[in-house]
Amino acid sequence: MHSPDSIRRFLFEHYPVRGYVVHLDSAWRAACEPTDYRPEVQQLLGEALVSATLLAATLKFEGTLTLQLQGPGPVHLLVAQCTDRHAIRGVARYRGEEIGAGSGGQLRQLAGEGRLSVSIETNAQTARYQGIVPLSGGDLAGCLEAYFASSEQLPTRLWLAAEADRAAGFLLQRVPDHERAGVSDAEVDELWNRVGHLAATLTARELLDLSEARLLRRLFAEDDVRLFSPTPVFFQCRCSRERVTGLLRSLGEPEVQSILDERGSVEVRCEFCNRAYAFDRIDCAGIFRAPESTQASVRLQ
Ligand SMILES: [Zn+2]
């Protein structure tokens, strides 16, 4: 049995090659619980959440990493986030009627000719883009490999799998090799190519089902691989009444007033966790009476 809801690092002894294995179980089920996704969309969201977890493990930052897919296709927006503490959440917005039968969940058919962006919001709430890559065919793993090649300049290979009750991912990365001792570039090239070919034989079923140790033994039986202890990954939403208040404030008083006139109260439901925030007339009046200085822009994502 794999370590549930966890990420585990491994490395090849004496070589500048490392990797990670992610398994999402209850964290994944909690993340997709608020929405009744179509299977193709759910699979893409699962792969994106696994990807965000792998990216968060490989990049050094404090805050929240956001993987965002945007495109003209049926899945027009998909957001997957992972914090430096490995708290995940995600949401996909899509037009189900546009997903053709037998699309097979191909990224290009779901998202169209869109783009994939990776950004990091630090705790000071400033977002900085790490990189953007076009969805130029292939799958999500292929797009992320292109991201690593262009933005991080680290040769990286990824394998992703997701189904209704769990999701998993596997990453191999060749890192700058200043710490290695007594291994030539040619030997590192040879190992990198060999382990890439071996990992390419990994099936989605094996990735989802095998324990981390068995998976590594199955792929790299001849190599000296060190597997580290699991780090927990969990579902956690960052929404709060304060953030929703900021959102209403940025909508402006006339807009909020028109919702009040129409419905008698304002209800905002968080897309990530389905939590509802209700504001009556008195609450809304209070929002717009607040002093100017607190009117900072607040982002929901
Ligand atoms: Zn929420």
Side-chain angles (χ1 to χ4, degrees):
M1 178 62 187
H2 62 256
S3 310
D5 293 309
S6 70
I7 182 159
R8 296 187 74 169
R9 187 163 79 94
F10 63 89
L11 55 80
F12 288 82
E13 298 283 8
H14 319 300
Y15 289 93
V17 175
R18 67 175 180 180
Y20 292 90
V21 190
V22 173
H23 282 108
L24 303 181
D25 303 274
S26 61
W28 161 232
R29 293 191 291 275
C32 57
E33 205 265 334
T35 309
D36 189 15
Y37 290 110
R38 277 182 61 132
E40 306 92 326
V41 180
Q42 190 180 36
Q43 185 183 345
L44 185 60
L45 180 62
E47 292 184 358
L49 277 166
V50 168
S51 301
T53 309
L54 289 167
L55 280 162
T58 59
L59 305 175
K60 281 198 168 61
F61 68 95
E62 278 182 28
T64 302
L65 178 141
T66 301
L67 185 72
Q68 188 165 307
L69 271 172
Q70 270 179 295
V75 181
H76 49 96
L77 179 69
L78 186 151
V79 176
Q81 296 184 314
C82 183
T83 71
D84 54 317
R85 292 170 47 246
H86 301 113
I88 58 163
R89 65 174 193 171
V91 68
R93 288 189 198 152
Y94 67 105
R95 296 177 286 267
E97 68 281 7
E98 291 179 18
I99 300 177
S103 78
Q106 295 295 314
L107 179 62
R108 189 70 171 275
Q109 279 155 316
L110 291 175
E113 286 190 35
R115 58 182 199 164
L116 171 78
S117 68
V118 178
S119 61
I120 287 171
E121 186 186 341
T122 63
N123 295 330
Q125 290 217 347
T126 49
R128 76 184 150 93
Y129 273 95
Q130 296 291 111
I132 298 177
V133 289
L135 301 180
S136 51
D139 53 11
L140 185 59
C143 291
L144 285 161
E145 288 171 1
Y147 162 79
F148 275 106
S150 66
S151 299
E152 305 296 322
Q153 297 182 348
L154 294 175
T156 304
R157 303 285 310 275
L158 282 106
W159 290 267
L160 307 167
E163 51 187 26
D165 66 340
R166 57 194 148 149
F170 184 76
L171 178 144
L172 276 177
Q173 190 165 62
R174 185 169 170 171
V175 292
D177 47 3
H178 48 86
E179 285 172 17
R180 95 190 128 103
V183 187
S184 70
D185 283 346
E187 285 173 292
V188 181
D189 287 346
E190 193 276 326
L191 177 102
W192 175 249
N193 290 331
R194 189 168 56 78
V195 298
H197 281 119
L198 289 170
T201 67
L202 185 65
T203 65
R205 198 68 266 145
E206 288 174 315
L207 181 53
L208 289 163
D209 290 349
L210 292 182
S211 72
E212 295 81 3
R214 278 197 63 195
L215 191 153
L216 292 173
R217 266 203 311 279
R218 143 87 176 80
L219 294 176
F220 313 124
E222 291 175 16
D223 294 285
D224 197 0
V225 179
R226 194 195 321 176
L227 176 63
F228 293 85
S229 321
T231 302
V233 180
F234 54 98
F235 170 78
Q236 188 178 63
C237 196
R238 298 191 294 136
C239 68
S240 64
R241 192 169 177 87
E242 198 182 352
R243 276 173 182 263
V244 176
T245 298
L247 183 84
L248 293 179
R249 197 173 280 141
S250 65
L251 262 185
E253 193 164 10
E255 181 70 30
V256 171
Q257 189 58 49
S258 80
I259 300 170
L260 276 177
D261 291 345
E262 196 182 311
R263 301 183 198 163
S265 69
V266 177
E267 189 187 274
V268 178
R269 198 169 278 277
C270 174
E271 286 183 283
F272 290 93
C273 71
N274 217 22
R275 187 170 165 187
Y277 295 89
F279 296 81
D280 62 17
R281 282 179 190 282
I282 294 166
D283 297 329
C284 291
I287 290 172
F288 294 102
R289 261 205 318 271
E292 286 284 327
S293 62
T294 63
Q295 296 193 5
S297 69
V298 176
R299 292 149 42 92
L300 242 196
Q301 290 185 354

